[in-house]
Amino acid sequence: MRKFNISIFWSSLVLLGVSYLLMKYVVQPPLPSSILAMYVGMILFAIFIYVTVEEERMREFLQPIRGLFLDEKKKTWQTLVLIGFPLAIGVYSFNAFSPKISPPAELRTVHPAPPDEYVGLVNPLRESGEGGAKPHEGDLEEHVQKGAEIYFKNCFFCHGDALDGKGHFAEGFTPLPANFRDQGTIAQLQESYVFWRIKTGGPGLPTESQPWNSAMPIWEDFLTDEEIWQVILYIYEGAGVEPRTWE
Amino acid sequence: MENIEYRISNIESRIASRLPASRFLLLALFSLFMLFALSAFAQEPAYRHFPLIGSRNAIWIISQLHLMFAAFILGVPIFAVIVEYIGVRTKDPKFDRLAKEFTKLLLIAFSTTATFGAIMLFLLIGLYPNFFNYMSSIFFPTFVIYSLLFFGEGFSLYLYWYSWDKLMNKKWLHITFGIMLNVFGTLLMIIANTWVTFMMSPGGIDEQGALISLWGAINNFTWIPINIHRFIANICFGGFIVGAYAAYRFLSSKTDEERAHYDWMGYVGNFIGTAALIPLPFAGYWLGKEIYEYSEPLMIRMMGGELSWLFIIQAILIGVLFIGANYYLWIALSRIKGGERFRKYVKYMLFLLVICFAIWMTPHSLVASLEEARKIGATHHPLLGVFGVMSAKNTAVNLIILTTFFSFMLYQRANKIETVTWAKKGKIAQIIILGSAAGVVIFYGIYGYYVPAAVRIGFSVYQVSAVLAAMILVTILSSLILRGATSMGTIEWGKMPARSQYTLIVLALTIVTLMGLMGYIRSATRADWHVYRVLRDTSPEAFTPTIAYATQMISIITFIFFAFICFIFWLGHMGEKQ
């Protein structure tokens, strides 16, 4: 650093700027602004720590600022900075707080606690062999097959034929239909939980998840319990993920 | 009520048919009286209203303040006795002075704690009579024991304080008083914990909520883990509060001598606080596991539901604690001759800490606007899918702990020159041990993504064991390597920049806020139950407050607590001047 004679002040600014641009424009899919703000905050914090750990470094960091404001000859620059800096903050704040067309970000509780009666249910089809033993391969396959049929008759309009949440109707809904291939949906849920969600759909969500205009239909009026367990088998199989198990 | 009336009159008429008139009159009078009594009982309100701020907020503020003061008078004596003991061992009088200075603050804090406890009790009886009745029906015997222990606590505190100068030559007796004080204090906490934990995970009762076994109610699911978690947290809290006090005194010092003393005191406080901070995440995980085992919905509500947003704040606060403690140590390297040798490591440690904290803070589900959600194309961002899960978090926290340990190690040997012949090999061995612990942590962290949750949970045990084993081994090696080491110069106590002292104050503020936050999360997890699934909260304030509301309350409480603490510090200061 010393070799190029860039002071730590400017290199910090560059670091901040570059990492911001990287996170904002290079990371794909784009990070939500809440996360971005958090990471940028972390970097700022780290720079602060790094600079202030040592006395000399702190002095070096402050040098350009001191140089600017203590130098009588730099009047124009001083004026520019003193006007430009508050102005930039003003513009930023205005942009951040002025009303927008798109609805504001919501704190959604995506996975609220399920009602008691669903807790601890096990998928009977995984256990349906004689004497509670594992089912014969054939049985399970049959159930998965049936599940696939159910899925393509009922669910794929929204959840997509690749189970990635990109069905034909998907674009029309907020929140978007769940992407079953994502680590954050069924892969981290127990089957009992998924059973509850399918059975009672969006309206079955507890008040704590509101406002939540989930388009997920209530399936208990259309599918039997067994059919729901079958479609569960299929979505796990099809998405290539395992249901969550505890201990 | 109608039912009872009907039954009573039914009985009356049956009896009446066989009794003379005078007797009937008596009976009628009696039953009338009974009816009055019953209806009076029925009119006893289930709740009363606290003016202006409402009952819930009143209890919230008072009990949290009581708890923080309790942490103070439990944590600080542990600190004082340890320091006094070190003083005896090292024969260095400054340790004794430190221990005594703190015991003086304890005296003031003790009565404040008791006052808040009494206010809390009155408020509970007055505002939540039904709830209090129920708790008494279960726990009355423990109330009695609690009051007796309270005497013990008070007396041993006075003994400890007033016998200080007298027993200067009989230190063992004096330290025994100090240990007694701690035993009473800890027992008090353990009993109070039975009530709190019973509210969350009741046990020892039948379907109707009536008591079957007092021991069952006491030894409920979360009791032991909370005892341990709180015990460690109190030490941590005590350490950081001591640090803040020292910082305040440092900043207002007029002489170099004073500055040196308080700089050193701040260092000791920070050391104890951080040492206790290190095992806290593990104790926290254990508590979580126990809650989960007691009731899955409870756990999901806490970690997966609306309260989960507060865990992001928790992560930030814990981040501030760890990074702050490290920052303080790094600054402190500059007042030790020879410390500059280690400065070059700072940036790597900082880098590691920051990366780990970025991971540790990344939430599992995200706050995204509609537009952003569309761009991401799913409800979850793949990055969050990777960073937001337990595997990543466990790995991050273990690495943070290792790094903090490493900072301490460097600090410890900052001014030392090893003289043992095998020093170089020893240091290489230490690096290898720490490196392989980090390796184990990272290996299981990554491997964790490829196995189901049930297996993954077991991995955290390996990670923790690797870290603990490494820390123990390296500490033993260090003491061997540094045996007979020569010094490059003494530590220049007092030569610290002001910002290091502000860091100590920030640490204290952070741990207090953190306590308020986690206490709120634990209580709010019960939702609208006084006693989970046993006694419902039917008061108008049974709702779960919004996140903004809750965090504002927590901030207000933190503020009030610090106002009190400043007052106590100031009193301590004033007493000294005279």
Side-chain angles (χ1 to χ4, degrees):
Chain A
M1 226 183 288
R2 273 253 151 267
K3 263 179 283 170
F4 306 104
N5 215 11
I6 303 177
S7 95
I8 181 136
F9 178 79
W10 294 111
S11 50
S12 305
L13 277 193
V14 169
L15 173 70
L16 194 65
V18 169
S19 45
Y20 174 76
L21 292 177
L22 274 179
M23 287 191 289
K24 176 97 187 176
Y25 297 106
V26 178
V27 175
Q28 282 303 331
L31 285 171
S33 50
S34 56
I35 303 285
L36 189 66
M38 210 165 89
Y39 288 167
V40 170
M42 280 294 296
I43 295 173
L44 257 176
F45 185 54
I47 291 176
F48 171 79
I49 297 260
Y50 181 68
V51 166
T52 57
V53 149
E54 278 174 45
E55 207 65 43
E56 306 94 76
R57 200 179 290 137
M58 195 160 98
R59 231 172 286 132
E60 189 189 337
F61 183 86
L62 293 177
Q63 189 46 47
I65 304 174
R66 283 223 181 87
L68 175 67
F69 284 100
L70 298 182
D71 192 342
E72 284 291 327
K73 278 171 253 152
K74 290 187 179 160
K75 269 266 159 21
T76 10
W77 279 107
Q78 286 173 11
T79 325
L80 277 182
V81 170
L82 282 181
I83 293 176
F85 194 64
L87 204 68
I89 293 182
V91 169
Y92 173 81
S93 318
F94 179 79
N95 278 338
F97 288 97
S98 60
K100 306 223 173 34
I101 302 169
S102 63
E106 270 169 8
L107 284 182
R108 280 181 358 207
T109 297
V110 182
H111 294 129
D116 283 348
E117 58 265 37
Y118 292 94
V119 174
L121 290 183
V122 284
N123 190 339
L125 306 182
R126 288 198 199 271
E127 304 280 338
S128 65
E130 276 121 75
K134 291 269 171 210
H136 304 298
E137 275 304 306
D139 288 354
L140 190 60
E141 226 145 76
E142 212 172 284
H143 287 310
V144 173
Q145 205 51 48
K146 288 237 179 72
E149 260 169 51
I150 297 163
Y151 184 83
F152 283 97
K153 277 184 188 150
N154 302 293
C155 322
F156 96 108
F157 311 107
C158 295
H159 290 286
D161 48 4
L163 298 110
D164 55 1
K166 293 190 180 140
H168 300 103
F169 300 162
E171 280 297 305
F173 300 126
T174 310
L176 293 164
N179 168 2
F180 298 140
R181 294 184 171 276
D182 188 295
Q183 276 298 320
T185 66
I186 56 172
Q188 57 136 346
L189 299 173
Q190 288 170 286
E191 284 187 301
S192 58
Y193 193 98
V194 178
F195 182 72
W196 162 55
R197 288 306 325 278
I198 298 174
K199 213 166 141 104
T200 64
L205 287 166
T207 44
E208 103 186 50
S209 290
Q210 282 163 354
W212 176 285
N213 306 312
S214 166
M216 172 71 183
I218 306 175
W219 289 103
E220 60 186 345
D221 302 334
F222 305 100
L223 300 174
T224 65
D225 278 3
E226 184 175 32
E227 283 169 326
I228 295 181
W229 288 120
Q230 284 169 337
V231 75
I232 291 177
L233 286 181
Y234 171 71
I235 57 177
Y236 277 107
E237 175 90 21
V241 291
E242 296 274 326
R244 177 165 203 159
T245 46
W246 296 93
E247 258 91 344
Chain B
M1 195 51 51
E2 265 173 22
N3 213 351
I4 297 175
E5 217 164 349
Y6 169 76
R7 253 190 269 155
I8 292 178
S9 58
N10 213 1
I11 298 171
E12 278 169 4
S13 55
R14 250 189 283 152
I15 302 173
S17 59
R18 281 178 235 141
L19 287 178
S22 62
R23 292 251 183 110
F24 173 74
L25 212 83
L26 250 167
L27 242 173
L29 269 175
F30 176 64
S31 61
L32 217 89
F33 168 70
M34 280 296 288
L35 267 176
F36 266 110
L38 271 171
S39 59
F41 185 70
Q43 268 162 16
E44 148 103 283
Y47 300 102
R48 285 192 189 85
H49 183 70
F50 191 88
L52 290 177
I53 56 171
S55 305
R56 196 244 302 262
N57 288 347
I59 286 283
W60 187 348
I61 294 173
I62 294 297
S63 49
Q64 187 66 58
L65 285 174
H66 174 59
L67 197 110
M68 284 165 179
F69 270 102
F72 186 86
I73 65 162
L74 291 183
V76 173
I78 299 176
F79 177 92
V81 173
I82 294 176
V83 171
E84 190 186 2
Y85 178 72
I86 297 176
V88 172
R89 287 295 301 266
T90 58
K91 303 213 168 48
D92 188 342
K94 70 180 174 193
F95 285 101
D96 204 65
R97 182 175 154 208
L98 174 60
K100 197 174 166 193
E101 194 165 352
F102 264 90
T103 310
K104 187 179 62 193
L105 295 185
L106 268 182
L107 290 181
I108 314 174
F110 185 71
S111 47
T112 319
T113 315
T115 312
F116 275 121
I119 300 176
M120 179 173 132
L121 181 68
F122 294 149
L123 287 185
L124 275 180
I125 296 176
L127 301 176
Y128 294 89
N130 259 4
F131 163 71
F132 194 79
N133 272 344
Y134 177 67
M135 290 300 273
S136 315
S137 77
I138 306 282
F139 283 112
F140 186 69
T142 63
F143 292 177
V144 178
I145 301 173
Y146 189 85
S147 355
L148 292 178
L149 285 173
F150 201 75
F151 272 114
E153 164 95 359
F155 286 143
S156 46
L157 175 61
Y158 294 136
L159 258 181
Y160 188 56
W161 168 249
Y162 285 106
S163 68
W164 205 294
D165 297 331
K166 270 247 162 67
L167 293 181
M168 245 5 209
N169 311 321
K170 290 205 188 109
K171 267 295 173 197
W172 59 269
L173 183 61
H174 192 252
I175 289 183
T176 312
F177 289 155
I179 292 175
M180 245 166 65
L181 170 63
N182 278 302
V183 170
F184 279 120
T186 308
L187 285 176
L188 277 175
M189 178 194 75
I190 286 177
I191 291 184
N193 285 350
T194 64
W195 312 326
V196 186
T197 52
F198 177 83
M199 289 167 68
M200 182 169 204
S201 55
I205 47 174
D206 64 13
E207 303 269 289
Q208 274 71 47
L211 183 66
I212 302 174
S213 133
L214 180 60
W215 177 242
I218 290 174
N219 186 21
N220 62 64
F221 259 78
T222 51
W223 183 50
I224 298 282
I226 286 252
N227 284 339
I228 292 181
H229 197 59
R230 278 192 168 167
F231 182 72
I232 304 175
N234 283 344
I235 302 179
C236 183
F237 176 88
F240 285 133
I241 291 283
V242 167
Y245 173 75
Y248 156 72
R249 296 297 303 265
F250 179 98
L251 292 169
S252 56
S253 290
K254 302 230 159 43
T255 64
D256 281 348
E257 195 203 353
E258 259 186 280
R259 250 189 295 278
H261 176 68
Y262 289 110
D263 180 14
W264 170 77
M265 180 194 274
Y267 169 74
V268 176
N270 183 56
F271 178 83
I272 294 193
T274 313
L277 185 64
I278 285 176
L280 259 189
F282 304 138
Y285 279 131
W286 185 29
L287 174 59
K289 183 169 164 286
E290 219 56 24
I291 293 175
Y292 168 69
E293 246 155 53
Y294 176 71
S295 157
E296 191 179 321
L298 209 58
M299 186 63 182
I300 298 178
R301 190 176 139 75
M302 185 164 92
M303 300 290 294
E306 63 204 305
L307 296 173
S308 67
W309 300 109
L310 294 171
F311 277 89
I312 300 174
I313 304 181
Q314 182 215 24
I316 293 173
L317 292 176
I318 294 180
V320 171
L321 283 181
F322 271 106
I323 295 186
N326 276 290
Y327 176 62
Y328 175 83
L329 284 179
W330 298 336
I331 295 183
L333 280 179
S334 63
R335 66 162 177 229
I336 308 178
K337 285 232 170 56
E340 63 284 347
R341 290 178 296 168
F342 297 127
R343 280 199 193 152
K344 54 177 181 282
Y345 297 118
V346 164
K347 51 178 172 292
Y348 305 112
M349 291 194 280
L350 178 64
F351 182 75
L352 195 65
L353 281 181
V354 168
I355 296 286
C356 286
F357 271 109
I359 295 175
W360 163 261
M361 277 194 246
T362 303
H364 182 67
S365 39
L366 48 88
V367 192
S369 66
L370 185 59
E371 222 172 316
E372 289 168 341
R374 288 263 182 271
K375 278 193 202 137
I376 297 165
T379 32
H380 291 79
H381 193 283
L383 186 76
L384 309 192
V386 175
F387 286 170
V389 294
M390 232 39 222
S391 258
K393 308 244 182 262
N394 280 341
T395 308
V397 81
N398 277 299
L399 291 180
I400 288 165
I401 288 171
L402 275 179
T403 313
T404 308
F405 178 76
F406 191 68
S407 281
F408 266 112
M409 219 176 88
L410 293 186
Y411 182 86
Q412 212 93 71
R413 60 177 64 168
N415 60 349
K416 306 254 166 55
I417 301 174
E418 303 83 1
T419 50
V420 289
T421 45
W422 50 279
K424 187 146 189 105
K425 282 183 206 134
K427 280 194 271 189
I428 293 174
Q430 286 184 317
I431 300 285
I432 291 177
I433 293 172
L434 286 178
S436 29
V440 170
V441 167
I442 293 173
F443 169 76
Y444 280 112
I446 295 175
Y447 191 28
Y449 288 100
Y450 299 98
V451 295
V455 185
R456 188 160 58 227
I457 283 175
F459 284 179
S460 59
V461 178
Y462 303 142
Q463 291 180 319
V464 172
S465 324
V467 170
L468 284 181
M471 292 199 298
I472 293 172
L473 273 178
V474 168
T475 310
I476 295 174
L477 264 178
S478 275
S479 69
L480 292 178
I481 292 177
L482 292 178
R483 191 173 279 177
T486 55
S487 169
M488 298 173 73
T490 49
I491 302 177
E492 296 170 74
W493 293 111
K495 285 209 170 157
M496 282 288 261
R499 57 182 181 279
S500 67
Q501 303 302 309
Y502 288 112
T503 310
L504 290 179
I505 294 174
V506 167
L507 288 177
L509 264 172
T510 310
I511 188 118
V512 171
T513 316
L514 186 60
M515 269 171 70
L517 180 77
M518 298 322 282
Y520 166 70
I521 293 179
R522 198 182 42 73
S523 305
T525 304
R526 294 195 312 267
D528 56 339
W529 295 94
H530 290 308
V531 179
Y532 189 60
R533 302 261 155 104
V534 176
L535 188 65
R536 204 181 258 285
D537 184 349
T538 53
S539 69
E541 290 158 301
F543 62 93
T544 301
T546 60
I547 293 170
Y549 183 109
T551 45
Q552 278 160 13
M553 280 294 289
I554 295 162
S555 311
I556 291 172
I557 293 170
T558 307
F559 185 79
I560 300 177
F561 177 71
F562 267 88
F564 272 101
I565 281 288
C566 287
F567 180 61
I568 289 178
F569 285 179
W570 177 74
L571 280 181
H573 199 162
M574 194 169 65
E576 212 165 89
K577 276 182 196 151
Q578 284 161 359

